[in-house]
Amino acid sequence: MRNLRLACLIGAFAAGACSGSKNTATPGTAGTTGGAGTTGGAGTTGGAGTTGTAGTTGTAGATGAGGNSGSTGGAVDASADRALTPFEEQALAIAAQYTAWGRVDDELRWAPFLCRQPYPGITRVSQSNDEPTHGRKLYSVFAKNHDAYPNGPHDGQVVVKQSWIPELVTDSDAGLLPIHFTSDAGINGDHFYPYAQGDGGVFRAGAPAGLFIMFRLDAATPETDEGWVYATVSPAGQVTAAGRVASCMGCHEASATHERLYGVPLSPSFP
């Protein structure tokens, strides 16, 4: 045990001697500092997607050509909201041309070389009491086929009764007689005396009261009175009836003396 302690002291002394020596141990160099880790490069930014090209703009459609102008239709009644019937069209055509045919009693046109003074066409007082039709009107008659009026033959005949509202005459013209009538119209012109003697005095043809028309087709023509067609046209030129007009047929079937015509005297007499 004693020897062991001695050995330890000797060892400790020796160790102290070593630490006091001038030649101290060279400090070890510091370990090399490790370099910083390389910073990873930024990830490559993906390129923008390619912008698609715009679709081609379609060309504008060609402008449609304007429709052809409609052809002019037949005669048109201003009051109608439908196509006219063939009878109505015929009535309007007659209304546009009848004055060229002459009045049936115009002696200055049809018999200018009588052995007396020929009379012009005259105004007549209607004998009808039916005011909505012929009643209380003055009238004058035209016929397409003068030589066939009123006895016939009637095929193709057209008769027009021109009518007026009577106007009482109170001036000096009330005494005028057709014998004093003068005209510069010529033989083929229209010679018309607009006065008539009636109940209550002398009347003058006043405001137009419309046309009453009759025309004759083949007797077998449908919707006719054995070939006769009746029509009425207002003062404004509108067809108000055409065909088998009951208010006309009621008289013309029952009492007309020349098939469906009454006829007027071709040589008038005056008081």
Side-chain angles (χ1 to χ4, degrees):
M1 179 62 71
R2 187 176 178 183
N3 289 335
L4 179 57
R5 289 178 177 171
L6 178 64
C8 287
L9 288 173
I10 295 171
F13 177 82
C18 289
S19 61
S21 176
K22 294 179 181 180
N23 295 322
T24 60
T26 303
T29 57
T32 304
T33 302
T38 304
T39 302
T44 304
T45 302
T50 304
T51 303
T53 56
T56 304
T57 302
T59 56
T63 302
N68 294 329
S69 298
S71 57
T72 302
V76 177
D77 180 342
S79 69
D81 56 0
R82 56 171 175 76
L84 297 179
T85 68
F87 290 160
E88 291 169 336
E89 289 182 342
Q90 286 178 271
L92 287 179
I94 291 166
Q97 60 185 273
Y98 76 94
T99 55
W101 304 335
R103 301 175 195 273
V104 297
D105 57 346
D106 182 357
E107 293 180 342
L108 287 168
R109 179 176 181 135
W110 305 115
F113 305 114
L114 290 175
C115 292
R116 59 170 174 79
Q117 175 69 37
Y119 291 127
I122 67 168
T123 308
R124 300 172 186 273
V125 178
S126 175
Q127 301 303 307
S128 171
N129 294 319
D130 184 16
E131 189 168 345
T133 55
H134 300 291
R136 295 186 57 80
K137 293 180 177 66
L138 302 181
Y139 71 92
S140 180
V141 175
F142 293 75
K144 184 175 183 178
N145 301 326
H146 181 269
D147 292 342
Y149 179 87
N151 298 318
H154 299 298
D155 291 345
Q157 181 65 287
V158 183
V159 177
V160 178
K161 177 183 281 189
Q162 189 180 44
S163 66
W164 301 270
I165 302 300
E167 186 178 279
L168 182 64
V169 177
T170 58
D171 55 29
S172 59
D173 286 345
L176 180 65
L177 295 176
I179 193 66
H180 303 299
F181 177 88
T182 60
S183 172
D184 296 326
I187 291 177
N188 293 322
D190 183 29
H191 316 101
F192 179 57
Y193 177 76
Y195 302 95
Q197 182 75 43
D199 293 339
V202 175
F203 295 87
R204 178 191 296 116
L211 304 178
F212 298 87
I213 299 172
M214 294 176 64
F215 55 96
R216 179 66 150 74
L217 305 176
D218 185 276
T221 304
E223 302 303 319
T224 66
D225 180 12
E226 296 185 6
W228 286 101
V229 177
Y230 306 88
T232 54
V233 178
S234 73
Q238 299 171 349
V239 178
T240 51
R244 289 172 55 87
V245 181
S247 60
C248 299
M249 293 171 60
C251 292
H252 286 265
E253 285 186 336
S255 57
T257 52
H258 304 277
E259 196 170 299
R260 293 294 188 270
L261 300 178
Y262 288 96
V264 297
L266 300 187
S267 295
S269 60
F270 296 89

